[in-house]
């Protein structure tokens, strides 16, 4: 799999580190334990398109939001965080 | 004269040169151009192995990668290589091979008695042994099965050869170099596309190599290809996997065919190929038929027998019978008859056909409407039993020593299937063909059911043109196609002849047609279930030849069509790949990079014993000549710190520069304690949590300016912490104006610790009044003439200064401190000192402990957000019953306590009250001490418990105490 880094161009996946679901957002400080629980533990496991965090850890170290298809590994959108 | 089955003329072997080789201790000869299998056949060796489960004698079935039987152990010593297919192993001078899976000699295998057990060791027997009787598995079944089953033996020694890995990029990758592949490569390359033509054989040409009449066409194609500037022709290269986004994996065998692989070249190279477009010209594998005794040595695929005769100039037998269900197979009968083999009969279930008539006209005895219902013979074939197709009438015996079998051809769809293309059943060809492409690939020639050299070449030319055009290199080109007859490969749909005896559908795994029916009866009728239940098509040949037979038997049992039953999913590796090739160069010292501190050379010169900390090499201790036991050195070094002054290289700690107007706010969010109140020129200890409330890391952070902090992390978590900070700065805290830089490698850090630390440093430091630098103070100075940062922080519990200088200037500063009287101490003494002091480290911050567990709750800030604040307040994490950090001392001070032991109330008790995380011998207290986590924690100080380690069978009495074994008032660091 190759990920087109907006700063470095298309690079091999070995240069990146996967973090997981980029659709979840850290709740506000006062949001309460339920909101933080969902943020930390609840994840969808879709067969299809996902939005994920990837860091170009062996490159420019930018954090990227990547739209990837879990069946084909097709990547249709990458943007810097 | 050896090689008595070598034909007088013909074939692609170099008759002028002789190669000597050994098989099972026999000295034999062959020629360059032979495979091990063709050379064995030339010498009349037809019994080459014993089968996996029943230890039945087996011969050579095929002439290619689909071979299920002729697996041998190659070479000896460290290069001993099991399960090598003799049919693809290029012969070389001095080759040494042995048959596998036998007890005793190949002709008399004691394990052959397994055949008598066959009623009890059919499909699924392995699973049943797990169920009954209880306790039999470990004592009886497993040792028996391990001894009896299996293939070759690994050498057990390190592989002496080197392997390489490389990336290749091309516009068009053509897999396979038969008529279709050559034409595809030429058509694709004509427009200037970068083409790779990969061929697993050591010669390009595929089945053209067995067609002497096509030698001219092949030579012309190769000559044309060689003139193309952008083409790479790779023989001995197996493409084994088709992955996502046009990535394919291949292994190129660079030195497998050499007697001793020279050290100057890698044995094999593992290619990751990125191809814009792919042409799969992988050909087809002929399939055998299931009938009793279809595994006897002497039973051979019809097409393979023709390959032995025409490509290798070998007569695979004296008297042959052909059992075929389609016209294309008759070519083999003509080929062998032409090679002087007596054709004793052609057995064909069909009524009539063009090829049958042609055979009759050529004087070959054709028995229309007949089938073979049994093979006669033990160690080698002596004849076959024939009967009318369907089983009516009586059986007749037909003597022969070679049985040619062909039930049709299976297009090699493995790579197409891996690329995501569905397989489509073709009723006329009785074969699965690649369906619509999902990736940028197309199959050509026999791989998609287009048989015949001329037809395949035309198809390949089309595919090559298509691929080049899709990659942006459109160019119309034409070249002559081979002039060859069109065979008719449409078989009569016969897969199994039912008669008494074992009819195999998978020769490598000893799976019979009856096993497939058993799987269906016992509820494992889905093809994927049946595969796992019977091990059908699970061998190294992946069912290339017989896989479809098993599916056909299952289809009949289920009363459904083969197209509905399907084949099990194809996965990489399509053909076996040596594990060494997968590992590539990443073995031994090259397994991962080594990180060395700026002071590495000094430590090495001083004879340091090394400790691996992640990728870092850290000095563990510095043994003196008279010190025999590591503890002598460790205790001496620790004592120097407690009583005098020591110097430790702490450069491996992670260091992060945090800059920006919001740096203080950011650190308040990242750390569980407060940094915004830290004055410039001061350091503070900090703890960092994960969002789930568990401790992530600790370390000291210094404020060097209003907007500039210098963070240190533990050695182990340096990368994790940086990533954790970067992530939150890019996501949740993105509104903050902060920048981060790892400066771990830029700074060398040395910890000068001990009662004399100030006196030693004062002699070397200029520009700073050390007596004015308080505990946790930070200042700049020159040390031994080098600009340095001085941090008055302590891990050891003694008066200590951490001196940080630019990495390139570390050694003179270090040497000056040593010359001024400091004793170098390593990571072991450092660990001893921090355990005495009760400081937590990696063993305590193990990803399961909370600030409360470690006695650090009072550090948590009361107001404001920070990572881990909310979830850290969950009741389970605040439960007062959780094990808390305690100290422990061995009741008998001389008796070691092992880290990893559990606290139990009394000898023999099994209820764990907690665990011991770190232990050491102590210099301050004498004897063994440690840290651990104990339910009840502080309330149990003074109690005597047992440190139980059932693995080491130890029960050591320990007394619980405060974790602060030494200087609990923390007076010495302020001294």
């Amino acid at each position: 799999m190759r990920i087109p880094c907006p700063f470095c161009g298309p690079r091999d996946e070995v240069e990146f580190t996967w973090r997981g679901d980029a659709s979840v957002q850290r709740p506000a400080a006062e949001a309460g334990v339920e909101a933080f629980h969902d943020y930390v533990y609840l994840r969808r496991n879709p067969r299809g398109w996902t939005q994920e965090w990837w860091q170009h850890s062996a490159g420019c170290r930018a954090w990227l939001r990547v739209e990837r298809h879990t069946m084909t590994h097709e990547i249709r959108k990458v943007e810097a965080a | 004269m050896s090689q008595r089955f070598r034909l007088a003329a013909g074939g692609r072997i170099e008759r002028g040169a002789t190669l000597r080789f050994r098989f099972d201790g026999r000295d034999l000869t062959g020629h360059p151009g032979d495979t091990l299998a063709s050379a064995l056949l030339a010498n009349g060796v037809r019994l080459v192995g014993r089968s996996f489960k029943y230890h039945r004698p087996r011969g050579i079935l095929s002439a290619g990668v689909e071979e299920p039987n002729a697996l041998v152990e190659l070479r000896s010593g460290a290069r001993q290589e099991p399960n090598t297919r003799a049919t693809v192993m290029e012969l070389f001078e001095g080759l040494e091979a042995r048959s596998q899976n036998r007890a005793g000699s190949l002709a008399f295998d004691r394990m052959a008695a397994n055949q008598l057990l066959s009623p009890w060791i059919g499909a699924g027997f392995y699973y049943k042994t797990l169920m009954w009787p209880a306790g039999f598995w470990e004592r009886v079944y497993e040792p028996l099965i391990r001894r009896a089953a299996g293939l070759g033996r690994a050498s057990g020694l390190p592989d002496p050869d080197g392997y390489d890995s490389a990336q290749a990029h091309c516009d068009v990758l053509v897999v396979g170099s038969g008529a279709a592949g050559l034409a595809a490569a030429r058509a694709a390359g004509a427009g200037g596309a970068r083409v790779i033509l990969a061929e697993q054989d050591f010669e390009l040409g595929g089945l053209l190599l067995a067609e002497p009449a096509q030698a001219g066409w092949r030579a012309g194609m190769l000559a044309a290809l060689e003139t193309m500037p952008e083409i790479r022709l790779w023989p001995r290269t197996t493409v084994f996997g088709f992955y996502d986004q046009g990535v394919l994996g291949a292994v190129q065998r660079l030195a497998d065919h050499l007697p001793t692989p020279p050290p100057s070249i890698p044995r094999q190279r593992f290619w990751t190929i990125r191809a814009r477009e792919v042409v799969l010209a992988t050909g087809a594998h002929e399939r055998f038929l299931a009938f009793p005794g279809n595994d006897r040595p002497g039973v051979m695929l019809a097409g393979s027998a023709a390959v032995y005769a025409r490509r290798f100039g070998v007569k695979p037998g004296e008297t042959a019978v052909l059992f075929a269900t389609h016209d294309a197979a008759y070519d083999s009968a003509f080929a062998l008859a032409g090679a002087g083999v007596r054709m004793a009969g052609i057995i064909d279930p069909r009524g009539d056909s063009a090829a049958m008539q042609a055979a009759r006209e050529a004087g070959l005895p054709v028995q229309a409407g007949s089938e073979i219902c049994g093979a006669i013979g033990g160690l080698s074939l002596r004849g076959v039993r024939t009967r009318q197709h369907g089983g009516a009438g009586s059986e007749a015996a037909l003597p022969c020593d070679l049985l040619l079998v062909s039930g049709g051809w299976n297009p090699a769809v493995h790579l197409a299937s891996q690329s995501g293309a569905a397989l489509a059943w073709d009723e006329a060809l009785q074969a699965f063909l690649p369906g619509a492409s999902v990736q940028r690939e197309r199959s050509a020639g026999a791989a998609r059911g287009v048989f015949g050299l001329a037809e395949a070449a035309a198809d390949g030319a089309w595919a090559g043109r298509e691929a080049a055009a899709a990659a942006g290199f459109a160019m119309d080109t034409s070249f002559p196609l081979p002039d060859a007859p069109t065979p008719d490969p449409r078989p009569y749909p016969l897969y199994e002849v039912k008669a008494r005896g074992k009819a195999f559908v998978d020769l490598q795994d000893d799976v019979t047609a009856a096993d497939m029916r058993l799987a269906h009866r016992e509820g494992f009728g889905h093809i994927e279930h049946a595969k796992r239940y019977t091990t059908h098509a699970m061998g190294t040949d992946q069912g290339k030849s017989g896989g479809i037979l098993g599916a056909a038997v299952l289809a009949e049992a289920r009363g459904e069509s083969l197209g509905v039953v399907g084949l099990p999913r194809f996965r990489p590796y399509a053909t076996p790949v040596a594990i060494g090739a997968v590992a590539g160069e990443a073995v031994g010292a090259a397994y991962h990079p080594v990180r060395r501190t700026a002071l590495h050379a000094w430590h090495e010169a001083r004879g340091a014993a090394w400790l691996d900390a992640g990728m870092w090499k850290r000095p563990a201790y510095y043994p003196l000549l008279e010190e025999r036991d590591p503890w002598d050195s460790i205790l001496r070094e620790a004592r120097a710190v407690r009583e005098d002054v020591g110097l430790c290289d702490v450069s491996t700690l992670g260091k992060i520069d945090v800059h920006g107007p919001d740096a203080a706010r950011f650190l308040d969010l990242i750390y569980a304690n407060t940094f915004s109140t830290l004055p410039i020129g001061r350091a503070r200890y900090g703890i960092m949590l994960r969002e789930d409330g568990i401790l992530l890391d600790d370390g000291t952070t210094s404020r060097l300016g209003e907007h500039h902090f210098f963070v240190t992390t533990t050695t182990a978590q340096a990368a994790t912490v940086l990533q954790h900070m970067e992530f939150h700065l890019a996501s949740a805290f993105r509104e903050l104006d902060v920048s981060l830089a790892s400066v771990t490698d830029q700074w060398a850090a040395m910890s000068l610790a001990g009662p004399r630390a100030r006196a030693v440093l004062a002699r070397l430091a200029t520009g700073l009044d050390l007596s004015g630098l308080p505990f946790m103070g930070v200042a700049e100075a020159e040390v031994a003439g080098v600009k340095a940062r001085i941090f008055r922080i302590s891990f050891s519990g003694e008066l200590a200064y951490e001196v940080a200088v630019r990495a390139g200037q570390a050694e003179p500063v270090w040497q000056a401190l040593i010359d001024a009287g400091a004793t170098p101490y390593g990571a072991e003494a450092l660990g001893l000192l921090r355990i005495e002091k009760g400081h937590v480290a990696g063993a305590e911050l193990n990803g399961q402990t909370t600030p409360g567990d470690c006695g650090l709750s009072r550090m948590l800030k009361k107001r404001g957000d920070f990572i881990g604040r909310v979830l850290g307040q969950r009741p389970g994490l605040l439960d007062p019953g959780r094990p808390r950090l305690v100290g422990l001392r061995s009741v008998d001070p001389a008796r070691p306590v092992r880290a990893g032991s559990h606290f139990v109330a009394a000898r023999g008790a099994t209820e764990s009250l907690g665990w011991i995380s770190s232990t050491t011998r102590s210099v301050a207290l004498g004897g063994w001490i440690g840290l651990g986590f104990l339910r009840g924690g502080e309330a149990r100080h003074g109690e005597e418990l047992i440190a139980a380690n059932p693995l080491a069978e130890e029960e050591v009495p320990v007394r619980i105490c405060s974790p602060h074994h030494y200087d609990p008032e923390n007076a010495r660091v302020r001294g």
Side-chain angles (χ1 to χ4, degrees), chain A residues 6 12 18 20 27 32-33 37-38 44 49 53 59-60 74 81:
Chain A
D12 193 279
W18 180 85
V33 70
H37 172 272
D38 292 358
R44 289 167 61 244
W49 290 103
W53 286 115
C60 62
E74 188 192 336

Side-chain angles (χ1 to χ4, degrees), chain A residues 1-2 12-13 17 19 26-30 32-34 36-37 39-41 53 55 57 61 63 65 71-75 80-81, chain B residues 167 169 244-245 247 272 274 438 669 691-692 719 722-724 726-728 730-734 864-871 874:
Chain A
M1 193 168 80
R2 269 193 282 197
D12 193 279
E13 62 170 305
T17 307
R19 174 152 180 135
R26 189 172 189 269
E30 60 285 355
V33 70
E34 290 298 327
F36 272 89
H37 172 272
Y39 163 64
V40 171
Y41 296 110
W53 286 115
Q55 187 187 21
S57 45
R61 294 197 72 84
W63 279 95
R65 285 174 189 275
M71 291 298 289
T72 63
H73 300 306
E74 188 192 336
I75 289 169
Chain B
Q167 307 265 336
H169 300 259
D244 300 306
Q245 300 174 349
V247 174
T272 301
R274 290 179 191 284
V438 172
L669 288 163
E691 195 68 271
D692 64 0
L722 179 64
Q723 197 160 52
H724 177 77
E726 286 171 334
F727 173 71
H728 285 94
S731 56
F733 310 142
R734 55 174 311 163
D865 190 17
F866 62 89
I867 292 172
R869 179 184 64 97
V870 175
L871 294 186
R874 287 177 292 172

Side-chain angles (χ1 to χ4, degrees), chain B residues 696-727:
Chain B
L696 172 62
D697 198 45
D698 70 345
T700 54
T701 290
S702 307
R703 190 166 202 168
L704 303 178
E706 181 63 23
H707 301 316
H708 181 194
F709 290 81
F710 178 72
V711 170
T712 65
T713 74
T714 60
T715 300
Q717 299 284 39
T720 308
V721 168
L722 179 64
Q723 197 160 52
H724 177 77
M725 287 184 171
E726 286 171 334
F727 173 71

Side-chain angles (χ1 to χ4, degrees), chain B residues 44-285:
Chain B
V45 177
R46 301 170 63 185
L47 169 63
V48 296
R50 286 279 178 171
S51 71
F52 183 69
K53 197 157 92 176
Y54 300 125
H55 291 256
R56 285 168 69 104
R58 291 286 163 82
I60 295 163
L61 180 79
S62 75
V65 294
E66 67 272 38
E67 179 61 35
N69 287 338
L71 306 182
V72 299
E73 266 174 20
L74 205 64
R75 307 182 195 258
S76 58
R79 288 201 171 87
Q80 178 175 305
E81 191 184 329
N83 308 334
T84 306
R85 285 151 298 163
T87 49
V88 296
M89 187 57 226
E90 202 174 339
L91 194 67
F92 57 78
E93 174 67 24
L95 180 149
E96 233 183 297
R98 286 167 305 282
S99 55
Q100 300 185 154
N101 203 28
R102 56 185 160 84
S105 75
L106 189 51
F108 181 79
D109 176 357
R110 291 189 301 276
M111 285 289 182
N114 271 9
Q115 289 183 71
L116 304 177
L117 296 173
S118 63
W120 296 280
I121 59 175
F125 87 97
Y126 187 87
Y127 303 114
K128 289 168 187 166
T129 62
L130 296 172
M131 294 164 69
W132 179 89
F136 253 47
W137 170 250
E138 273 181 38
R139 281 181 292 122
V140 182
Y141 293 130
E142 192 187 10
L144 271 177
I145 293 170
R146 282 196 189 281
R147 201 163 65 228
L151 297 167
R153 297 161 301 170
S155 75
L157 300 169
D159 189 334
D161 297 318
Y163 297 81
D164 190 24
S165 59
Q167 307 265 336
H169 300 259
C170 64
D171 299 309
V172 179
L173 169 67
V174 180
V175 185
S177 70
L182 290 180
R186 184 162 174 184
R194 296 169 302 162
V195 175
I196 293 174
L197 176 59
E199 167 57 56
Q200 60 196 359
D201 203 313
F202 52 91
E203 277 201 282
L204 300 180
L207 277 186
L208 291 167
L209 298 170
E211 296 289 344
Q214 302 302 335
W217 186 80
R218 173 183 169 274
M221 291 296 283
L222 288 181
L225 290 175
E226 275 156 14
T227 62
M228 291 180 171
E230 294 289 355
I231 198 162
R232 283 183 275 182
L233 303 177
W234 286 352
R236 300 189 178 102
T237 303
T238 301
V239 177
F240 57 74
F242 199 140
Y243 303 90
D244 300 306
Q245 300 174 349
V247 174
L248 291 95
V251 163
Q252 193 174 24
R253 291 173 296 280
L254 299 168
D256 276 16
H257 60 294
L258 302 176
T260 302
S264 56
I265 56 170
R267 173 83 180 263
Q268 298 181 352
R269 179 172 290 140
F270 188 98
W271 284 103
T272 301
I273 304 174
R274 290 179 191 284
R276 283 197 178 150
E277 299 289 331
V278 180
V279 176
L280 298 172
T282 45
H285 298 120

